[in-house]
Amino acid sequence: MDIHFTPEELAFRSEVRAFLEQNLPADIAEKVRLGRRLSKEDHQRWQKILNKQGWYAVNWPVEYGGTGWSVVQKHIFDEECAAAGAPRLVAFGVNMVAPVIIKFGTQAQKDYYLPRILRSEDWWCQGYSEPGAGSDLASLKTRAERDGDHYVVNGQKTWTTLGQHANRIFCLVRTDPSAKKQEGISFLLIDMDTPGITVRPIITLDGEHEVNEVFFDNVRVPVENLVGEENKGWTCAKYLLTHERTGQAGIGLSKAALAHLKDIAGAETVAGRPLIDDPLFRARIAEVEMRLMAVEMSTLRILAATRDGGVPGAESSLLKIQGSEIRQAISGLMRKALGPNALPFLEPELEPEFDGEPLYRDYSASPASQYFNLRKLSIYGGSNEIQKNIIAKQVLEL
Ligand SMILES: Cc1cc2nc3c(=O)[nH]c(=O)nc-3n(C[C@H](O)[C@H](O)[C@H](O)COP(=O)(O)OP(=O)(O)OC[C@H]3O[C@@H](n4cnc5c(N)ncnc54)[C@H](O)[C@@H]3O)c2cc1C
């Protein structure tokens, strides 16, 4: 096992860094650094810059527009993007439905959808979860009944991230209610403009509109929008989830957040001294930094093992738990560093008529909202409890 980067990998890191310095728009990087809201347009602008460079669809096979990078190169790219303040890519199109279409789709589906994803013409969302089907996803009830050359879809999806921006949704639907749970499910591509679809916002703990409920009322979907075979959608669903979990440790994002935390702790003062000089606060930062270094070493170890074509197994569950807990711990420390200033809803600056001297620093507004928002990390993509079940079964053989 060799966990050091090769000279070629180090040269690749320099190439990525130089590209980011020249091409990442400063206004977008500033929003990311300060945890401000990114618009749909911000995301699409960055996606188009990456696509022009040929670096948007890094996980696709080369013949469809992918990069052909090794897992180590992808890791380096993610790390450099996070360090530079590039937005995290919205995965639903490029990194979720596209791999499924590439693996299971018809030639017509590949020809139509993949170029549209590359050009950022479609915004996809994920219609998996339902009110009664989250961890136990195979209990889903949204029904699709065949009627001539259409399916008629009725039911409800929930927690649909950024569905308010989407013009397309990929859905797991039940096509055979009499079959065993996993066996009667199909994978459908649905145009969000089809009559009978209603999107309603869910406002989360941080006061944001990030997730939605999506209702289907006699929605007619052409049969050519079925991916893979009817009733075999569970295979597509599981394949997609392996892509969703890849990279969920978020090492690069945690490193960038840790650097930001240190900046804040250097600027905030307690009894006239920078907070970062306080031994207790320093120890807290050191503790989370050591955990981050450990999970980074584990990631590199696992990547080293997969460099020659291996596939990460239950290790990805370990990384997901550790990575999400670390990001949550860093956001908790940011709030502690800011004290009462991490209560943005108290800021008079939020009043529309406020035109005075800012009372707080530019970084004060977002840590509270981020703290609440990041609770999601231990829930989505398979909750941390479910990851522990996987480890218990596959690693500990319990
Ligand atoms: C912010 C956010 C965005 C999301 N975006 C999307 C999206 O875009 N598309 C989509 O389809 N879904 C999305 N989800 C849904 C997400 O995948 C589910 O929330 C997740 O799978 C958990 O399901 P649930 O919420 O129904 O909780 P439940 O499955 O009801 O679980 C409730 C609690 O019980 C625990 N639990 C459940 N079963 C077990 C078990 N067997 N052993 C031990 N503990 C267990 C869970 O860990 C959890 O703590 C999103 C969720 C969030 C929070």
Side-chain angles (χ1 to χ4, degrees):
M1 178 185 77
D2 179 6
I3 58 170
H4 295 99
F5 293 113
T6 63
E8 293 77 25
E9 286 161 353
L10 292 174
F12 174 73
R13 188 185 284 282
S14 305
E15 186 190 348
V16 173
R17 200 170 286 179
F19 166 79
L20 289 164
E21 272 166 20
Q22 283 161 22
N23 293 284
L24 175 61
D27 61 317
I28 294 182
E30 184 66 353
K31 279 189 184 177
V32 172
R33 186 180 74 80
L34 296 174
R36 298 265 156 86
R37 195 175 294 137
L38 288 164
S39 65
K40 179 177 181 179
E41 188 276 331
D42 289 330
H43 282 288
Q44 288 175 324
R45 186 155 45 112
W46 178 232
Q47 287 166 196
K48 285 177 183 171
I49 292 169
L50 285 176
N51 189 41
K52 199 166 156 221
Q53 174 75 3
W55 286 1
Y56 178 41
V58 299
N59 295 316
W60 296 13
V62 178
E63 63 265 36
Y64 295 108
T67 53
W69 288 343
S70 67
V71 281
V72 178
Q73 282 177 301
K74 288 177 196 167
H75 172 74
I76 291 172
F77 180 69
D78 281 349
E79 246 195 356
E80 289 300 320
C81 284
R88 185 162 207 191
L89 291 186
V90 178
F92 304 113
V94 69
N95 285 328
M96 288 198 195
V97 76
V100 171
I101 292 173
I102 289 169
K103 174 105 174 146
F104 301 100
T106 61
Q107 194 56 45
Q109 287 168 342
K110 290 177 196 175
D111 292 345
Y112 182 70
Y113 291 111
L114 299 180
R116 294 179 63 86
I117 291 173
L118 281 180
R119 293 193 298 260
S120 295
E121 285 169 8
D122 285 336
W123 186 294
W124 285 89
C125 62
Q126 179 183 25
Y128 271 30
S129 306
E130 298 182 4
S135 302
D136 184 15
L137 184 59
S139 302
L140 63 94
K141 292 198 168 61
T142 294
R143 185 84 173 89
E145 283 172 281
R146 188 75 185 257
D147 178 24
D149 53 4
H150 283 78
Y151 289 103
V152 181
V153 179
N154 282 288
Q156 181 195 346
K157 294 293 172 181
T158 193
W159 303 118
T160 320
T161 300
L162 300 180
Q164 71 270 31
H165 296 329
N167 63 324
R168 298 191 190 275
I169 181 168
F170 54 89
C171 280
L172 292 178
V173 291
R174 188 157 298 284
T175 33
D176 182 359
S178 63
K180 277 206 292 186
K181 276 206 303 197
Q182 283 89 346
E183 287 168 16
I185 291 172
S186 299
F187 192 103
L188 274 190
L189 309 176
I190 304 181
D191 185 337
M192 294 283 277
D193 293 330
T194 319
I197 298 183
T198 311
V199 180
R200 282 198 209 141
I202 300 175
I203 304 301
T204 41
L205 208 53
D206 53 356
E208 287 287 337
H209 175 196
E210 185 176 270
V211 286
N212 302 272
E213 295 176 292
V214 182
F215 296 87
F216 298 85
D217 182 14
N218 286 323
V219 175
R220 294 185 71 79
V221 180
V223 285
E224 61 260 28
N225 288 18
L226 174 75
V227 180
E229 284 178 52
E230 191 178 87
N231 299 324
K232 299 280 184 236
W234 193 245
T235 314
C236 302
K238 283 192 302 185
Y239 182 74
L240 184 144
L241 284 174
T242 61
H243 281 265
E244 184 174 356
R245 284 181 195 149
T246 307
Q248 267 189 350
I251 309 283
L253 293 171
S254 284
K255 278 183 159 183
L258 189 67
H260 191 45
L261 168 65
K262 287 180 183 173
D263 286 345
I264 291 177
E268 293 291 314
T269 53
V270 176
R273 290 177 55 205
L275 178 62
I276 198 148
D277 291 342
D278 174 81
L280 183 58
F281 203 79
R282 277 180 88 81
R284 286 177 169 160
I285 294 181
E287 189 191 343
V288 78
E289 188 159 14
M290 283 189 288
R291 282 184 73 189
L292 180 55
M293 285 168 75
V295 80
E296 183 179 20
M297 292 311 287
S298 300
T299 304
L300 291 173
R301 205 164 35 84
I302 291 163
L303 289 180
T306 58
R307 194 158 15 196
D308 302 322
V311 182
E315 295 93 338
S316 58
S317 298
L318 292 165
L319 297 180
K320 198 246 161 176
I321 295 170
Q322 283 296 323
S324 55
E325 287 182 359
I326 288 168
R327 277 190 72 201
Q328 290 175 340
I330 295 171
S331 80
L333 284 176
M334 262 189 216
R335 285 199 72 197
K336 284 201 168 77
L338 285 165
N341 293 346
L343 293 171
F345 46 86
L346 294 181
E347 288 190 32
E349 282 113 302
L350 291 182
E351 299 296 335
E353 63 274 12
F354 181 83
D355 62 354
E357 278 289 300
L359 293 175
Y360 307 110
R361 296 179 199 266
D362 59 358
Y363 53 66
S364 298
S366 63
S369 126
Q370 271 187 355
Y371 173 82
F372 291 124
N373 186 279
L374 292 183
R375 301 301 97 196
K376 70 187 177 190
L377 297 180
S378 40
I379 302 172
Y380 68 26
S383 73
N384 284 12
E385 289 78 18
I386 295 297
Q387 303 307 317
K388 284 177 187 167
N389 284 352
I390 294 171
I391 294 163
K393 207 166 159 190
Q394 293 184 19
V395 181
L396 304 175
E397 297 182 3
L398 295 175

